[in-house]
Amino acid sequence: MQSSESNSGSDSTGCLKTVWNYIIHHKFIVSSLGAVALGIILGFILKIFLNLSELDQQYLSFPGEMLMRMLQAVTVPLIVTSVITGVSGLSVKTSKRIAGRAAAYFVSTTVMSVTIGLVLVLMIKPGIGYAAEKGETEDEEAFSTVDALLDLVRNMVPQNLIQACFRQYKTERVEFEIDADEQNSSLETNGTELRLVGHYVEGANTLGLIVWSFVFGLILNVMGERGEVLVEVLTVLNESTKRMVKLILGYLPFGVLFLIASHVVEVHDWETTFKLGKFMVVVFVGLIIHGVIVLPLVYFVCVRKNPITVVRGVSSALLTALVISSSSATLPITFQCCEEKLIIDKRITRFMLPIGTNINMDGTALYEVVAAVFIAQLNNIPLDISQLLTLSVTSAVSSIGAAGIPATGAVTTLFVLTSIGLPAKEASILVVVEWLLDRCNTVVNVFGDCVGVALVNEISMKELEEMDRHRAHGGDQVHMSQDSDGVMYPAVDGEDEYFQASEDSALDFQHTPEYLSVWDSDAEICTPSKIQVHIRSQDSDDYDDDDDDDDEFF
């Protein structure tokens, strides 16, 4: 009897110890989930028992606002330094291959997500039978798809890189009254004219920063040793930013508690939320199919490894994305998960994650296409195949231009709706549920980036190991080749034939950087940064000469 009691006591003690060890090992996830639960409870208590004014709600959200500010403060330096150091650390050939694989992954997964959303919304038809209450609506803002695309290109080439850290360019169509004299008309009534007015709005121009950081990284790569000093400085800055992120993570549960509580208190129109339940179910089902089935299946098919490992490794980043609803603000945690838990090569994470955060938004693209078809169903507007195709392409493009900040769906939904002439003012009813759906979209966005980084890392393993071997042996073997006009060119890795200076000698050009500049067809003037010329004696009977005593180096 005593032995059985002692056994049960030891089992319970062992179970408690296991639970405690799990909590200690996953303290970030446990503390964040606890903060979410306490925030929901606190929000409902304050909403039911206290009538908080607008000013009180701002005070309540203050700790959460501080969390978002801290994460956004480290986002820009993290993106810039990560892209520059990532690109400068790759060879030109390897960077082209990795960029091609990343682009193929981003495009294919975005197409899959849009297709899933389109099929579900056409099958379930959430907008049929739901009568949107027509109340007083605000005047529809003039919106142009062409202007939005041009703004996207303008933001890729910012006038001021410092200003791009906190502002982005936006064009609006504004109506101006024109006097009768200006119209050269005898009519006394004034007319109106639409004019394009460009101005800057708050929000980091991350797309422009990524483009120019990529170009800057390529230039440092070409400069070779001369650019290594600046690359080292940026690498140190990148590492120090990540250490700062670890300090912010200690404050995250406290900020999340008040962030969730303030969101619960601010939501007033619960009736409309429940009415849009069918629409929400379509979006949820689409996100689950894409995130739980499609993305893991793509990873498994391409690399033949268990995707559960990736899910466990990035669980902290996914939870953070769910809580703060911002893929850009989650980027520091995403870096930490991919590099420390999944042990992914830093050259891949620094190259892909900042770009994927702003370009690869599978969840957002799925939401946009479902929302657009839902609005068409609300207004009994049939869509033909060409309109559905236009809708799909526009949804994918609009997700690329999103800034990676909370609640960008309202703007991108207008972009999608106007592309096929749907009434954009009806999209206002979706704002009621966007605060919830946007969090789920962000989770799928971040998970898609993590899966892509892990996939490209596995596929590019051979190229990365080859780069490490070359650097360990002091550089690439560079040989000279000669064209029909007698002009000399460097040939890397034996891609071209050897250029022999004479019948009894062969030249080997060895250099440390991957950049080599040679001028003059007679090879009398060579201007690489570090070259060793090895003249081997060539015997007609035995070409391979292992003895270097009679060879010359200069």
Side-chain angles (χ1 to χ4, degrees):
M1 188 73 177
Q2 291 179 352
S3 61
S4 62
E5 289 178 357
S6 61
N7 290 334
S8 62
S10 61
D11 291 341
S12 61
T13 305
C15 183
L16 289 174
K17 187 178 292 186
T18 304
V19 172
W20 178 253
N21 290 335
Y22 181 85
I23 293 174
I24 295 299
H25 188 66
H26 301 86
K27 56 186 176 182
F28 176 76
I29 297 178
V30 174
S31 59
S32 299
L33 287 174
V36 171
L38 291 175
I40 294 173
I41 295 172
L42 178 62
F44 277 110
I45 290 175
L46 295 176
K47 190 177 184 69
I48 294 171
F49 296 102
L50 293 177
N51 188 15
L52 296 180
S53 63
E54 211 170 296
L55 186 61
D56 294 332
Q57 292 179 14
Q58 290 183 359
Y59 291 150
L60 179 64
S61 62
F62 180 75
E65 182 185 351
M66 289 297 100
L67 173 64
M68 296 299 297
R69 283 175 173 269
M70 286 189 288
L71 289 173
Q72 289 169 355
V74 298
T75 298
V76 170
L78 191 63
I79 289 176
V80 172
T81 56
S82 296
V83 174
I84 293 176
T85 55
V87 174
S88 62
L90 296 171
S91 66
V92 177
K93 184 190 297 184
T94 306
S95 61
K96 286 180 179 178
R97 290 178 180 175
I98 293 175
R101 290 163 184 163
Y105 172 81
F106 291 157
V107 171
S108 60
T109 53
T110 302
V111 170
M112 291 177 190
S113 66
V114 170
T115 304
I116 291 170
L118 194 61
V119 170
L120 286 176
V121 74
L122 292 176
M123 286 177 56
I124 301 176
K125 298 179 180 179
I128 302 298
Y130 172 74
E133 295 180 1
K134 307 285 185 180
E136 293 183 359
T137 58
E138 298 179 358
D139 294 336
E140 184 178 346
E141 181 184 359
F143 193 87
S144 171
T145 303
V146 176
D147 295 338
L149 289 174
L150 291 178
D151 283 343
L152 188 67
V153 178
R154 290 188 186 102
N155 283 317
M156 292 174 67
V157 190
Q159 290 180 327
N160 191 323
L161 291 176
I162 304 300
Q163 187 183 37
C165 295
F166 55 90
R167 283 186 178 179
Q168 49 187 310
Y169 191 83
K170 182 181 179 182
T171 304
E172 291 183 351
R173 293 191 171 194
V174 182
E175 286 189 359
F176 287 93
E177 290 189 0
I178 304 176
D179 296 334
D181 295 337
E182 295 182 12
Q183 299 182 38
N184 295 325
S185 174
S186 60
L187 297 176
E188 296 181 358
T189 56
N190 296 336
T192 59
E193 181 183 13
L194 275 177
R195 296 179 184 175
L196 294 178
V197 177
H199 61 96
Y200 286 92
V201 296
E202 295 298 325
N205 180 11
T206 50
L207 191 61
L209 292 174
I210 286 174
V211 170
W212 286 97
S213 298
F214 185 85
V215 174
F216 197 53
L218 287 178
I219 293 173
L220 290 176
N221 193 346
V222 171
M223 289 178 64
E225 284 189 343
R226 288 175 293 173
E228 286 181 0
V229 177
L230 184 55
V231 172
E232 191 67 29
V233 172
L234 292 173
T235 303
V236 173
L237 180 60
N238 183 269
E239 294 297 329
S240 62
T241 306
K242 291 178 181 178
R243 290 180 180 270
M244 194 179 299
V245 170
K246 291 183 179 180
L247 296 177
I248 297 174
L249 292 181
Y251 175 78
L252 189 137
F254 182 75
V256 163
L257 190 151
F258 289 94
L259 195 67
I260 295 296
S262 63
H263 277 301
V264 173
V265 172
E266 288 173 2
V267 177
H268 299 289
D269 198 356
W270 289 99
E271 292 183 6
T272 307
T273 304
F274 290 128
K275 285 182 179 178
L276 293 172
K278 203 172 181 182
F279 166 73
M280 296 172 65
V281 167
V282 173
V283 176
F284 282 140
V285 171
L287 294 176
I288 290 172
I289 292 174
H290 188 72
V292 178
I293 299 176
V294 174
L295 291 178
L297 187 62
V298 169
Y299 180 80
F300 176 76
V301 169
C302 293
V303 302
R304 301 294 179 180
K305 289 190 175 182
N306 191 355
I308 300 298
T309 307
V310 179
V311 177
R312 289 175 179 171
V314 301
S315 56
S316 301
L318 300 182
L319 180 60
T320 306
L322 179 66
V323 170
I324 64 179
S325 182
S326 172
S327 53
S328 293
T330 311
L331 184 60
I333 295 95
T334 310
F335 266 112
Q336 188 181 36
C337 291
C338 291
E339 293 178 358
E340 296 181 7
K341 294 183 179 180
L342 297 179
I343 318 298
I344 296 176
D345 195 296
K346 290 184 178 181
R347 289 168 291 186
I348 301 293
T349 58
R350 292 172 179 174
F351 181 78
M352 282 188 63
L353 280 179
I355 298 174
T357 300
N358 294 272
I359 292 179
N360 184 42
M361 295 193 173
D362 299 341
T364 303
L366 188 148
Y367 168 81
E368 297 302 337
V369 71
V370 173
V373 177
F374 174 72
I375 295 298
Q377 292 173 354
L378 284 180
N379 294 273
N380 296 320
I381 299 176
L383 300 176
D384 55 26
I385 296 178
S386 62
Q387 288 177 313
L388 291 174
L389 185 61
T390 304
L391 200 62
S392 302
V393 174
T394 312
S395 299
V397 173
S398 66
S399 66
I400 294 175
I405 57 178
T408 54
V411 178
T412 50
T413 302
L414 290 175
F415 179 46
V416 175
L417 291 175
T418 53
S419 66
I420 56 174
L422 293 176
K425 62 183 179 182
E426 299 293 341
S428 59
I429 63 172
L430 300 179
V431 178
V432 179
V433 296
E434 189 181 359
W435 68 275
L436 178 59
L437 295 177
D438 192 48
R439 300 176 185 278
C440 303
N441 297 340
T442 307
V443 172
V444 176
N445 294 342
V446 173
F447 184 56
D449 297 338
C450 296
V451 171
V453 169
L455 189 151
V456 173
N457 181 73
E458 292 291 337
I459 297 177
S460 307
M461 195 71 73
K462 291 183 179 179
E463 285 93 340
L464 296 172
E465 291 176 355
E466 186 178 348
M467 283 181 58
D468 293 336
R469 283 198 300 270
H470 279 302
R471 291 183 178 181
H473 288 84
D476 297 327
Q477 297 289 327
V478 180
H479 307 284
M480 302 305 297
S481 63
Q482 187 179 31
D483 63 6
S484 58
D485 298 328
V487 181
M488 303 264 302
Y489 293 100
V492 183
D493 294 335
E495 291 178 355
D496 293 324
E497 297 178 354
Y498 289 100
F499 171 74
Q500 296 183 354
S502 63
E503 295 180 355
D504 57 349
S505 65
L507 276 75
D508 284 348
F509 287 78
Q510 299 177 344
H511 75 114
T512 298
E514 294 176 1
Y515 174 69
L516 174 66
S517 61
V518 179
W519 182 75
D520 196 352
S521 60
D522 295 329
E524 294 178 353
I525 301 178
C526 297
T527 59
S529 57
K530 199 173 186 180
I531 291 182
Q532 182 184 42
V533 182
H534 176 198
I535 301 182
R536 297 189 310 239
S537 59
Q538 179 176 335
D539 198 313
S540 59
D541 296 330
D542 185 13
Y543 182 80
D544 295 330
D545 182 17
D546 296 330
D547 184 13
D548 292 341
D549 293 337
D550 55 349
D551 298 349
E552 296 184 22
F553 295 87
F554 61 92

